[in-house]
Amino acid sequence: MARTKEFDRDVALGRAIATFAQHGFEGTSTEALVAAMDIRRQSLYDTFGDKWRLYLEALQRYSSDSIGAQLVALEGAPTGAAGIEALLLQAAARAADDPQPACLGISSICEFGRSEPEVTALNETMGRLLTGAVERRVREAVAAGAFAASLDAAVAAQFVLATLTGIRVAARQGASVAVLRGIADMAMRSFR
């Protein structure tokens, strides 16, 4: 007779995300995962497969949630310029609010680069989604005269993504909310 699960799968996955974000794939032992997720080792294997499958699912969930929240900030503003600013300020606020800021997406790129095809494919898909949306909002801001007419939307979108990464890394290093907001402000001034 099959036993019923004694844990909430989504809660366990959220704890795995936090653990992988803090320590990376290689730096996270199965024992650390079992402890963080508050499940038995066999439950980890029965539910998620193995550590690698769990990592990929955690990265997928983290990326989807993170990109989703970023798109809400970006698309929720009435103008292109306001959308870019909202995206940058949201990144600063979220990073500052996190007592242990870490980004599983960034750490996956730092840890694996392009060596793991499944990680690369996921990161590229999510990156294209956000980049396309940022480019569109930059073009809107240029057309409205809020950003410089000579601004290349593709280059500006890459700059925004690099700034988002920089904000997260600075937060992990201990930067204050004022510093993080200053980075966002400096990025916005560079577009004018």
Side-chain angles (χ1 to χ4, degrees):
M1 181 163 102
R3 294 182 58 175
T4 59
K5 286 189 173 48
E6 299 171 9
F7 63 93
D8 182 314
R9 188 181 197 288
D10 286 336
V11 170
L13 184 58
R15 292 174 179 164
I17 289 168
T19 304
F20 282 132
Q22 285 296 320
H23 306 290
F25 177 78
E26 289 297 330
T28 301
S29 67
T30 302
E31 291 75 24
L33 284 168
V34 167
M37 296 168 73
D38 195 25
I39 63 174
R40 294 186 319 271
R41 179 184 286 266
Q42 191 58 49
S43 294
L44 185 149
Y45 295 127
D46 290 346
T47 305
F48 299 101
D50 57 17
K51 179 181 162 186
W52 180 246
R53 291 286 138 218
L54 173 59
Y55 180 80
L56 291 175
E57 185 173 339
L59 181 59
Q60 172 68 49
R61 168 73 61 81
Y62 178 84
S63 298
S64 294
D65 290 352
S66 177
I67 297 295
Q70 291 173 34
L71 289 173
V72 166
L74 182 65
E75 302 293 345
T79 67
I84 300 295
E85 184 173 35
L87 175 65
L88 292 167
L89 291 175
Q90 179 209 53
R94 289 181 75 177
D97 287 345
D98 190 341
Q100 293 185 315
C103 175
L104 185 55
I106 292 170
S107 74
S108 73
I109 292 167
C110 292
E111 184 169 5
F112 295 108
R114 299 185 62 79
S115 67
E116 289 293 337
E118 292 168 298
V119 172
T120 300
L122 178 59
N123 285 329
E124 285 179 350
T125 298
M126 294 298 171
R128 278 192 304 272
L129 180 64
L130 184 57
T131 301
V134 170
E135 278 186 43
R136 187 177 51 71
R137 298 291 343 228
V138 167
R139 282 197 281 304
E140 289 175 24
V142 169
F147 288 175
S150 61
L151 195 64
D152 180 315
V155 172
Q158 291 302 318
F159 177 75
V160 168
L161 296 181
T163 303
L164 293 172
T165 299
I167 286 171
R168 290 184 186 113
V169 171
R172 184 144 169 103
Q173 187 181 8
S176 69
V177 69
V179 167
L180 301 177
R181 289 180 64 87
I183 294 168
D185 182 58
M186 181 62 74
M188 287 303 296
R189 283 191 273 151
S190 73
F191 297 132
R192 296 184 178 105

mmCIF file of all heavy atoms in Angstrom, residues 141-186:
data_model
loop_
_atom_site.group_PDB
_atom_site.id
_atom_site.type_symbol
_atom_site.label_atom_id
_atom_site.label_comp_id
_atom_site.label_asym_id
_atom_site.label_seq_id
_atom_site.Cartn_x
_atom_site.Cartn_y
_atom_site.Cartn_z
ATOM 1 N N ALA A 141 9.733 54.071 -24.785
ATOM 2 C CA ALA A 141 10.289 55.245 -24.107
ATOM 3 C C ALA A 141 11.020 56.153 -25.092
ATOM 4 O O ALA A 141 10.940 57.378 -24.984
ATOM 5 C CB ALA A 141 11.224 54.807 -22.977
ATOM 6 N N VAL A 142 11.725 55.562 -26.051
ATOM 7 C CA VAL A 142 12.406 56.352 -27.078
ATOM 8 C C VAL A 142 11.366 57.080 -27.935
ATOM 9 O O VAL A 142 11.479 58.282 -28.191
ATOM 10 C CB VAL A 142 13.329 55.464 -27.948
ATOM 11 C CG1 VAL A 142 13.829 56.220 -29.172
ATOM 12 C CG2 VAL A 142 14.508 54.932 -27.124
ATOM 13 N N ALA A 143 10.337 56.371 -28.360
ATOM 14 C CA ALA A 143 9.293 56.972 -29.204
ATOM 15 C C ALA A 143 8.571 58.111 -28.485
ATOM 16 O O ALA A 143 8.168 59.101 -29.115
ATOM 17 C CB ALA A 143 8.289 55.905 -29.637
ATOM 18 N N ALA A 144 8.441 58.001 -27.172
ATOM 19 C CA ALA A 144 7.756 59.034 -26.390
ATOM 20 C C ALA A 144 8.672 60.200 -26.035
ATOM 21 O O ALA A 144 8.219 61.190 -25.458
ATOM 22 C CB ALA A 144 7.187 58.419 -25.117
ATOM 23 N N GLY A 145 9.966 60.084 -26.348
ATOM 24 C CA GLY A 145 10.914 61.140 -26.029
ATOM 25 C C GLY A 145 11.458 61.089 -24.613
ATOM 26 O O GLY A 145 12.189 61.980 -24.187
ATOM 27 N N ALA A 146 11.122 60.043 -23.862
ATOM 28 C CA ALA A 146 11.612 59.916 -22.482
ATOM 29 C C ALA A 146 13.062 59.430 -22.430
ATOM 30 O O ALA A 146 13.784 59.733 -21.489
ATOM 31 C CB ALA A 146 10.719 58.961 -21.703
ATOM 32 N N PHE A 147 13.468 58.666 -23.433
ATOM 33 C CA PHE A 147 14.845 58.188 -23.558
ATOM 34 C C PHE A 147 15.445 58.814 -24.806
ATOM 35 O O PHE A 147 14.721 59.199 -25.734
ATOM 36 C CB PHE A 147 14.902 56.666 -23.673
ATOM 37 C CG PHE A 147 14.586 55.902 -22.416
ATOM 38 C CD1 PHE A 147 14.522 54.522 -22.450
ATOM 39 C CD2 PHE A 147 14.357 56.519 -21.198
ATOM 40 C CE1 PHE A 147 14.235 53.778 -21.311
ATOM 41 C CE2 PHE A 147 14.060 55.789 -20.051
ATOM 42 C CZ PHE A 147 14.003 54.410 -20.107
ATOM 43 N N ALA A 148 16.750 58.890 -24.853
ATOM 44 C CA ALA A 148 17.465 59.499 -25.984
ATOM 45 C C ALA A 148 17.076 58.833 -27.300
ATOM 46 O O ALA A 148 16.966 57.607 -27.375
ATOM 47 C CB ALA A 148 18.965 59.388 -25.771
ATOM 48 N N ALA A 149 16.899 59.625 -28.327
ATOM 49 C CA ALA A 149 16.495 59.122 -29.639
ATOM 50 C C ALA A 149 17.545 58.198 -30.243
ATOM 51 O O ALA A 149 17.225 57.294 -31.018
ATOM 52 C CB ALA A 149 16.217 60.290 -30.587
ATOM 53 N N SER A 150 18.798 58.384 -29.874
ATOM 54 C CA SER A 150 19.885 57.575 -30.426
ATOM 55 C C SER A 150 20.073 56.237 -29.706
ATOM 56 O O SER A 150 20.929 55.445 -30.090
ATOM 57 C CB SER A 150 21.199 58.362 -30.351
ATOM 58 O OG SER A 150 21.505 58.653 -28.997
ATOM 59 N N LEU A 151 19.283 55.992 -28.695
ATOM 60 C CA LEU A 151 19.430 54.782 -27.883
ATOM 61 C C LEU A 151 19.104 53.532 -28.696
ATOM 62 O O LEU A 151 18.068 53.456 -29.346
ATOM 63 C CB LEU A 151 18.500 54.876 -26.674
ATOM 64 C CG LEU A 151 18.740 53.903 -25.530
ATOM 65 C CD1 LEU A 151 20.095 54.151 -24.887
ATOM 66 C CD2 LEU A 151 17.646 54.073 -24.490
ATOM 67 N N ASP A 152 19.990 52.556 -28.675
ATOM 68 C CA ASP A 152 19.768 51.260 -29.323
ATOM 69 C C ASP A 152 18.998 50.385 -28.329
ATOM 70 O O ASP A 152 19.511 50.050 -27.256
ATOM 71 C CB ASP A 152 21.117 50.631 -29.684
ATOM 72 C CG ASP A 152 20.998 49.293 -30.366
ATOM 73 O OD1 ASP A 152 20.203 48.436 -29.910
ATOM 74 O OD2 ASP A 152 21.716 49.075 -31.353
ATOM 75 N N ALA A 153 17.775 50.014 -28.676
ATOM 76 C CA ALA A 153 16.913 49.279 -27.743
ATOM 77 C C ALA A 153 17.510 47.945 -27.333
ATOM 78 O O ALA A 153 17.399 47.536 -26.171
ATOM 79 C CB ALA A 153 15.529 49.075 -28.354
ATOM 80 N N ALA A 154 18.169 47.241 -28.249
ATOM 81 C CA ALA A 154 18.757 45.939 -27.921
ATOM 82 C C ALA A 154 19.901 46.092 -26.923
ATOM 83 O O ALA A 154 20.007 45.328 -25.957
ATOM 84 C CB ALA A 154 19.233 45.239 -29.190
ATOM 85 N N VAL A 155 20.744 47.085 -27.149
ATOM 86 C CA VAL A 155 21.865 47.336 -26.230
ATOM 87 C C VAL A 155 21.329 47.807 -24.878
ATOM 88 O O VAL A 155 21.807 47.364 -23.817
ATOM 89 C CB VAL A 155 22.849 48.362 -26.836
ATOM 90 C CG1 VAL A 155 23.912 48.770 -25.823
ATOM 91 C CG2 VAL A 155 23.506 47.789 -28.089
ATOM 92 N N ALA A 156 20.340 48.687 -24.910
ATOM 93 C CA ALA A 156 19.754 49.178 -23.658
ATOM 94 C C ALA A 156 19.131 48.040 -22.859
ATOM 95 O O ALA A 156 19.261 47.994 -21.630
ATOM 96 C CB ALA A 156 18.706 50.254 -23.959
ATOM 97 N N ALA A 157 18.468 47.103 -23.535
ATOM 98 C CA ALA A 157 17.869 45.961 -22.835
ATOM 99 C C ALA A 157 18.948 45.116 -22.165
ATOM 100 O O ALA A 157 18.782 44.694 -21.011
ATOM 101 C CB ALA A 157 17.054 45.112 -23.806
ATOM 102 N N GLN A 158 20.057 44.884 -22.850
ATOM 103 C CA GLN A 158 21.152 44.126 -22.240
ATOM 104 C C GLN A 158 21.731 44.872 -21.040
ATOM 105 O O GLN A 158 22.094 44.269 -20.029
ATOM 106 C CB GLN A 158 22.243 43.830 -23.281
ATOM 107 C CG GLN A 158 21.816 42.845 -24.338
ATOM 108 C CD GLN A 158 21.382 41.509 -23.760
ATOM 109 O OE1 GLN A 158 21.989 40.968 -22.840
ATOM 110 N NE2 GLN A 158 20.301 40.964 -24.299
ATOM 111 N N PHE A 159 21.794 46.206 -21.151
ATOM 112 C CA PHE A 159 22.269 47.014 -20.030
ATOM 113 C C PHE A 159 21.332 46.888 -18.838
ATOM 114 O O PHE A 159 21.774 46.770 -17.688
ATOM 115 C CB PHE A 159 22.412 48.479 -20.463
ATOM 116 C CG PHE A 159 22.839 49.393 -19.348
ATOM 117 C CD1 PHE A 159 24.148 49.392 -18.889
ATOM 118 C CD2 PHE A 159 21.926 50.250 -18.748
ATOM 119 C CE1 PHE A 159 24.540 50.227 -17.854
ATOM 120 C CE2 PHE A 159 22.311 51.088 -17.719
ATOM 121 C CZ PHE A 159 23.623 51.084 -17.267
ATOM 122 N N VAL A 160 20.024 46.906 -19.084
ATOM 123 C CA VAL A 160 19.049 46.747 -18.003
ATOM 124 C C VAL A 160 19.244 45.386 -17.324
ATOM 125 O O VAL A 160 19.276 45.298 -16.092
ATOM 126 C CB VAL A 160 17.603 46.920 -18.516
ATOM 127 C CG1 VAL A 160 16.583 46.475 -17.459
ATOM 128 C CG2 VAL A 160 17.345 48.356 -18.926
ATOM 129 N N LEU A 161 19.395 44.335 -18.116
ATOM 130 C CA LEU A 161 19.589 43.000 -17.536
ATOM 131 C C LEU A 161 20.888 42.934 -16.729
ATOM 132 O O LEU A 161 20.921 42.327 -15.643
ATOM 133 C CB LEU A 161 19.572 41.936 -18.622
ATOM 134 C CG LEU A 161 18.246 41.788 -19.373
ATOM 135 C CD1 LEU A 161 18.336 40.674 -20.408
ATOM 136 C CD2 LEU A 161 17.091 41.540 -18.437
ATOM 137 N N ALA A 162 21.951 43.549 -17.241
ATOM 138 C CA ALA A 162 23.218 43.568 -16.500
ATOM 139 C C ALA A 162 23.062 44.367 -15.203
ATOM 140 O O ALA A 162 23.629 43.996 -14.159
ATOM 141 C CB ALA A 162 24.324 44.169 -17.369
ATOM 142 N N THR A 163 22.272 45.436 -15.247
ATOM 143 C CA THR A 163 22.027 46.229 -14.047
ATOM 144 C C THR A 163 21.239 45.430 -13.013
ATOM 145 O O THR A 163 21.543 45.472 -11.815
ATOM 146 C CB THR A 163 21.293 47.539 -14.402
ATOM 147 O OG1 THR A 163 22.077 48.267 -15.361
ATOM 148 C CG2 THR A 163 21.077 48.400 -13.166
ATOM 149 N N LEU A 164 20.239 44.675 -13.474
ATOM 150 C CA LEU A 164 19.482 43.815 -12.554
ATOM 151 C C LEU A 164 20.414 42.815 -11.871
ATOM 152 O O LEU A 164 20.316 42.585 -10.663
ATOM 153 C CB LEU A 164 18.380 43.071 -13.309
ATOM 154 C CG LEU A 164 17.236 43.925 -13.861
ATOM 155 C CD1 LEU A 164 16.324 43.073 -14.742
ATOM 156 C CD2 LEU A 164 16.448 44.582 -12.744
ATOM 157 N N THR A 165 21.318 42.237 -12.651
ATOM 158 C CA THR A 165 22.297 41.304 -12.085
ATOM 159 C C THR A 165 23.179 42.014 -11.068
ATOM 160 O O THR A 165 23.424 41.506 -9.968
ATOM 161 C CB THR A 165 23.148 40.676 -13.200
ATOM 162 O OG1 THR A 165 22.291 39.957 -14.081
ATOM 163 C CG2 THR A 165 24.211 39.745 -12.645
ATOM 164 N N GLY A 166 23.655 43.194 -11.431
ATOM 165 C CA GLY A 166 24.510 43.958 -10.531
ATOM 166 C C GLY A 166 23.818 44.300 -9.226
ATOM 167 O O GLY A 166 24.422 44.249 -8.152
ATOM 168 N N ILE A 167 22.542 44.652 -9.311
ATOM 169 C CA ILE A 167 21.772 44.960 -8.094
ATOM 170 C C ILE A 167 21.719 43.733 -7.188
ATOM 171 O O ILE A 167 21.938 43.827 -5.973
ATOM 172 C CB ILE A 167 20.357 45.466 -8.458
ATOM 173 C CG1 ILE A 167 20.443 46.892 -9.007
ATOM 174 C CG2 ILE A 167 19.418 45.384 -7.256
ATOM 175 C CD1 ILE A 167 19.150 47.410 -9.605
ATOM 176 N N ARG A 168 21.458 42.575 -7.755
ATOM 177 C CA ARG A 168 21.365 41.352 -6.937
ATOM 178 C C ARG A 168 22.714 40.985 -6.318
ATOM 179 O O ARG A 168 22.784 40.575 -5.160
ATOM 180 C CB ARG A 168 20.835 40.213 -7.788
ATOM 181 C CG ARG A 168 19.374 40.394 -8.135
ATOM 182 C CD ARG A 168 18.850 39.187 -8.900
ATOM 183 N NE ARG A 168 17.501 39.431 -9.349
ATOM 184 C CZ ARG A 168 17.146 39.565 -10.615
ATOM 185 N NH1 ARG A 168 18.034 39.454 -11.572
ATOM 186 N NH2 ARG A 168 15.898 39.788 -10.937
ATOM 187 N N VAL A 169 23.776 41.129 -7.095
ATOM 188 C CA VAL A 169 25.104 40.806 -6.569
ATOM 189 C C VAL A 169 25.499 41.811 -5.487
ATOM 190 O O VAL A 169 26.045 41.426 -4.444
ATOM 191 C CB VAL A 169 26.144 40.743 -7.711
ATOM 192 C CG1 VAL A 169 27.558 40.618 -7.165
ATOM 193 C CG2 VAL A 169 25.833 39.574 -8.649
ATOM 194 N N ALA A 170 25.215 43.087 -5.705
ATOM 195 C CA ALA A 170 25.531 44.099 -4.692
ATOM 196 C C ALA A 170 24.763 43.830 -3.402
ATOM 197 O O ALA A 170 25.307 43.973 -2.300
ATOM 198 C CB ALA A 170 25.207 45.500 -5.228
ATOM 199 N N ALA A 171 23.498 43.413 -3.522
ATOM 200 C CA ALA A 171 22.711 43.083 -2.329
ATOM 201 C C ALA A 171 23.322 41.910 -1.593
ATOM 202 O O ALA A 171 23.399 41.915 -0.361
ATOM 203 C CB ALA A 171 21.266 42.775 -2.719
ATOM 204 N N ARG A 172 23.755 40.923 -2.326
ATOM 205 C CA ARG A 172 24.373 39.747 -1.694
ATOM 206 C C ARG A 172 25.642 40.144 -0.950
ATOM 207 O O ARG A 172 25.988 39.561 0.070
ATOM 208 C CB ARG A 172 24.656 38.671 -2.732
ATOM 209 C CG ARG A 172 25.217 37.396 -2.130
ATOM 210 C CD ARG A 172 24.690 36.192 -2.851
ATOM 211 N NE ARG A 172 25.387 34.977 -2.476
ATOM 212 C CZ ARG A 172 24.896 34.072 -1.658
ATOM 213 N NH1 ARG A 172 23.710 34.249 -1.117
ATOM 214 N NH2 ARG A 172 25.565 32.995 -1.385
ATOM 215 N N GLN A 173 26.300 41.156 -1.470
ATOM 216 C CA GLN A 173 27.526 41.648 -0.821
ATOM 217 C C GLN A 173 27.216 42.529 0.387
ATOM 218 O O GLN A 173 28.094 42.848 1.161
ATOM 219 C CB GLN A 173 28.360 42.430 -1.843
ATOM 220 C CG GLN A 173 29.714 42.845 -1.346
ATOM 221 C CD GLN A 173 30.479 43.632 -2.395
ATOM 222 O OE1 GLN A 173 29.958 43.998 -3.430
ATOM 223 N NE2 GLN A 173 31.734 43.898 -2.094
ATOM 224 N N GLY A 174 25.941 42.922 0.553
ATOM 225 C CA GLY A 174 25.551 43.694 1.727
ATOM 226 C C GLY A 174 25.212 45.148 1.454
ATOM 227 O O GLY A 174 25.084 45.931 2.396
ATOM 228 N N ALA A 175 25.043 45.525 0.197
ATOM 229 C CA ALA A 175 24.712 46.916 -0.126
ATOM 230 C C ALA A 175 23.377 47.309 0.501
ATOM 231 O O ALA A 175 22.446 46.509 0.568
ATOM 232 C CB ALA A 175 24.652 47.106 -1.645
ATOM 233 N N SER A 176 23.297 48.555 0.937
ATOM 234 C CA SER A 176 22.072 49.070 1.554
ATOM 235 C C SER A 176 21.021 49.326 0.480
ATOM 236 O O SER A 176 21.321 49.393 -0.711
ATOM 237 C CB SER A 176 22.372 50.381 2.282
ATOM 238 O OG SER A 176 22.671 51.393 1.327
ATOM 239 N N VAL A 177 19.791 49.518 0.924
ATOM 240 C CA VAL A 177 18.712 49.834 -0.005
ATOM 241 C C VAL A 177 19.006 51.147 -0.724
ATOM 242 O O VAL A 177 18.689 51.296 -1.912
ATOM 243 C CB VAL A 177 17.335 49.846 0.693
ATOM 244 C CG1 VAL A 177 17.202 51.001 1.657
ATOM 245 C CG2 VAL A 177 16.210 49.859 -0.324
ATOM 246 N N ALA A 178 19.640 52.087 -0.048
ATOM 247 C CA ALA A 178 19.981 53.367 -0.678
ATOM 248 C C ALA A 178 20.969 53.152 -1.827
ATOM 249 O O ALA A 178 20.830 53.757 -2.896
ATOM 250 C CB ALA A 178 20.552 54.335 0.345
ATOM 251 N N VAL A 179 21.935 52.297 -1.630
ATOM 252 C CA VAL A 179 22.906 51.995 -2.688
ATOM 253 C C VAL A 179 22.212 51.298 -3.853
ATOM 254 O O VAL A 179 22.431 51.638 -5.022
ATOM 255 C CB VAL A 179 24.078 51.141 -2.146
ATOM 256 C CG1 VAL A 179 24.921 50.568 -3.272
ATOM 257 C CG2 VAL A 179 24.935 51.967 -1.195
ATOM 258 N N LEU A 180 21.355 50.338 -3.549
ATOM 259 C CA LEU A 180 20.655 49.601 -4.601
ATOM 260 C C LEU A 180 19.744 50.525 -5.406
ATOM 261 O O LEU A 180 19.704 50.455 -6.637
ATOM 262 C CB LEU A 180 19.860 48.446 -4.004
ATOM 263 C CG LEU A 180 20.685 47.409 -3.225
ATOM 264 C CD1 LEU A 180 19.770 46.367 -2.615
ATOM 265 C CD2 LEU A 180 21.757 46.769 -4.092
ATOM 266 N N ARG A 181 19.048 51.415 -4.719
ATOM 267 C CA ARG A 181 18.191 52.384 -5.420
ATOM 268 C C ARG A 181 19.045 53.362 -6.228
ATOM 269 O O ARG A 181 18.642 53.803 -7.312
ATOM 270 C CB ARG A 181 17.300 53.133 -4.435
ATOM 271 C CG ARG A 181 16.194 52.253 -3.848
ATOM 272 C CD ARG A 181 15.318 53.032 -2.870
ATOM 273 N NE ARG A 181 14.592 54.100 -3.521
ATOM 274 C CZ ARG A 181 13.414 53.959 -4.104
ATOM 275 N NH1 ARG A 181 12.824 52.780 -4.110
ATOM 276 N NH2 ARG A 181 12.814 54.986 -4.666
ATOM 277 N N GLY A 182 20.206 53.683 -5.717
ATOM 278 C CA GLY A 182 21.133 54.557 -6.445
ATOM 279 C C GLY A 182 21.598 53.926 -7.750
ATOM 280 O O GLY A 182 21.732 54.619 -8.773
ATOM 281 N N ILE A 183 21.833 52.638 -7.735
ATOM 282 C CA ILE A 183 22.211 51.925 -8.958
ATOM 283 C C ILE A 183 21.074 52.013 -9.969
ATOM 284 O O ILE A 183 21.291 52.299 -11.156
ATOM 285 C CB ILE A 183 22.578 50.459 -8.654
ATOM 286 C CG1 ILE A 183 23.845 50.384 -7.799
ATOM 287 C CG2 ILE A 183 22.740 49.656 -9.949
ATOM 288 C CD1 ILE A 183 24.116 49.006 -7.204
ATOM 289 N N ALA A 184 19.857 51.776 -9.502
ATOM 290 C CA ALA A 184 18.683 51.869 -10.376
ATOM 291 C C ALA A 184 18.546 53.281 -10.944
ATOM 292 O O ALA A 184 18.282 53.457 -12.152
ATOM 293 C CB ALA A 184 17.422 51.455 -9.630
ATOM 294 N N ASP A 185 18.717 54.276 -10.104
ATOM 295 C CA ASP A 185 18.611 55.676 -10.539
ATOM 296 C C ASP A 185 19.677 56.006 -11.577
ATOM 297 O O ASP A 185 19.393 56.682 -12.578
ATOM 298 C CB ASP A 185 18.699 56.603 -9.325
ATOM 299 C CG ASP A 185 18.538 58.058 -9.722
ATOM 300 O OD1 ASP A 185 17.498 58.406 -10.307
ATOM 301 O OD2 ASP A 185 19.478 58.841 -9.451
ATOM 302 N N MET A 186 20.896 55.564 -11.354
ATOM 303 C CA MET A 186 21.989 55.838 -12.291
ATOM 304 C C MET A 186 21.676 55.199 -13.646
ATOM 305 O O MET A 186 21.914 55.815 -14.699
ATOM 306 C CB MET A 186 23.306 55.298 -11.741
ATOM 307 C CG MET A 186 24.487 55.559 -12.649
ATOM 308 S SD MET A 186 24.828 57.311 -12.934
ATOM 309 C CE MET A 186 25.529 57.757 -11.371
#
